[in-house]
Amino acid sequence: AQSVTQPDIHITVSEGASLELRCNYSYGATPYLFWYVQSPGQGLQLLLKYFSGDTLVQGIKGFEAEFKRSQSSFNLRKPSVHWSDAAEYFCAVGDSIGISGGSYIPTFGRGTSLIVHP
Amino acid sequence: EAGVAQSPRYKIIEKRQSVAFWCNPISGHATLYWYQQILGQGPKLLIQFQNNGVVDDSQLPKDRFSAERLKGVDSTLKIQPAKLEDSAVYLCASSPRPGQGAREQYFGPGTRLTVT
């Protein structure tokens, strides 16, 4: 079964500092990988996704992530954090279950809460 | 385009009562998901529909939870009777028809349920 581990429950950074949020996955084949952000009281918004191809993926709001198959990781990075980036970040892995139409079932990590100090 | 709509946004009920949540996906999206997100955890998939058929409901507590998606558009999730541990945010998401190259999901704002 697929699984996602986000080892950091909380991350605190200063505004303007760089950021890296860790994500490790377990899946037998090439996974579909996602990062979502959730602001308080809001639903989840997709930051970026990896399906295949270039292992460095660019997303919205200046975020990027790198797929490293050898490490089973998909870490999220941002070179300079803004106070508005404070939120909960979720990594997810999607499994193609191969039914008619090719729907997939995603599994989410428990999330990392980002705190930004001024 | 309009996003995924959910109602109500907040609900407080007593244990053993029943409750229903409504979701209207993005127009044309074939796949609809219901997630349960307990405080401090990631979303857990409860049920997935493709059009009006169930793709996966293996994690839906069927003794108390039920969901339907009539006509392949709107969906309703019901809990009867509710337990304290059902307190959570219930998220609805939708995605385009598989095979159209989009496996990302679009989430609604969620319904926060508190069971007292």
Side-chain angles (χ1 to χ4, degrees), chain A residues 32 34 36 38 41-44 46 49 51 90 97 99-106 108-110, chain B residues 9 31 33 35 37 40-43 45 48 50 55-56 91 98-99 101 103-105 107-109:
Chain A
Y32 303 132
F34 309 82
Y36 288 87
Q38 185 178 36
Q42 303 296 317
L44 279 72
L46 181 69
K49 61 191 177 189
F51 290 165
F90 294 94
I97 61 174
I99 66 168
S100 175
S103 290
Y104 81 103
I105 298 175
F108 284 80
R110 66 178 178 181
Chain B
R9 291 295 310 277
T31 309
Y33 310 80
Y35 288 87
Q37 186 179 18
Q41 299 181 20
L45 182 69
Q48 179 182 2
Q50 187 169 321
V55 172
D56 186 284
L91 295 165
R103 290 177 175 82
E104 61 198 76
Q105 300 168 86
F107 283 83

